[in-house]
Amino acid sequence: MKDEKLQQAFQSWTQLSQTPDEWLAYESRLKQVLDEEAAKRETELAIEESYERGQHKQDVYVTARLLHDKFPEGFPTEADAQEYLQGVTSPETLDELRKIVVRVNSWAEAEDKIREALDD
C-alpha cells in the first residue's frame, strides 16, 4: 500500500480485531525485537567507546613520550609527563600539544605554550 493513512488505518483495524492472546503474542514479539535492537546498539556503542579509550591512551602515551624525550628538564620521567596529561581528554588538545613540542626549542617556551593550549 502506498497511501500512508490507509496503511495506518489498516494496521489499527488489524490490532483492534486481534484476540487478547494474539495481542499478547504480538506485544511479546515486539518487545523481543526492540530488546534485540537495543542490545545490538549498546554493543556497538561499547565497541566504539573502548576503541576511543584505547586511542586516547595511545595519544596520551605518544604526547608524554615526546614531552619527556625533548624536555627532560620539565618531565624527568615519562610517568611525570603522562601524569601531567591525565586531565587532557580532547584529542584535538593532545594533537596541539604534540605540534607545540615539535615547534619549540626550549622548555621555557614549551611551558608557556603548553599552558596556553591547556587553558583554552
Side-chain angles (χ1 to χ4, degrees):
M1 274 185 263
K2 295 190 184 214
D3 184 359
E4 195 172 313
K5 290 188 184 235
L6 185 59
Q7 186 177 12
Q8 288 175 352
F10 184 70
Q11 285 176 344
S12 296
W13 175 77
T14 302
Q15 290 174 353
L16 289 173
S17 66
Q18 292 177 338
T19 66
D21 289 340
E22 290 173 329
W23 182 251
L24 187 59
Y26 165 78
E27 284 185 330
S28 180
R29 284 192 309 273
L30 179 61
K31 183 181 181 324
Q32 181 181 359
V33 168
L34 293 175
D35 288 349
E36 288 171 359
E37 288 296 318
K40 181 179 175 184
R41 182 65 184 143
E42 285 178 23
T43 301
E44 290 170 353
L45 290 173
I47 290 169
E48 285 178 27
E49 185 179 316
S50 67
Y51 174 77
E52 288 170 5
R53 274 197 314 260
Q55 184 62 47
H56 178 71
K57 284 183 181 182
Q58 181 68 21
D59 288 347
V60 169
Y61 172 78
V62 168
T63 307
R65 184 84 188 254
L66 279 169
L67 283 168
H68 167 67
D69 288 351
K70 191 159 182 185
F71 305 112
E73 64 274 19
F75 300 100
T77 68
E78 198 174 299
D80 292 334
Q82 284 185 339
E83 184 178 325
Y84 182 76
L85 297 172
Q86 284 307 312
V88 181
T89 57
S90 164
E92 293 81 14
T93 302
L94 287 170
D95 188 45
E96 182 63 29
L97 292 177
R98 288 191 295 274
K99 289 176 184 175
I100 290 169
V101 171
V102 170
R103 282 193 311 253
V104 299
N105 293 317
S106 71
W107 167 238
E109 185 181 3
E111 193 174 23
D112 290 340
K113 294 206 181 281
I114 289 170
R115 192 171 292 120
E116 286 174 18
L118 294 177
D119 287 342
D120 288 343

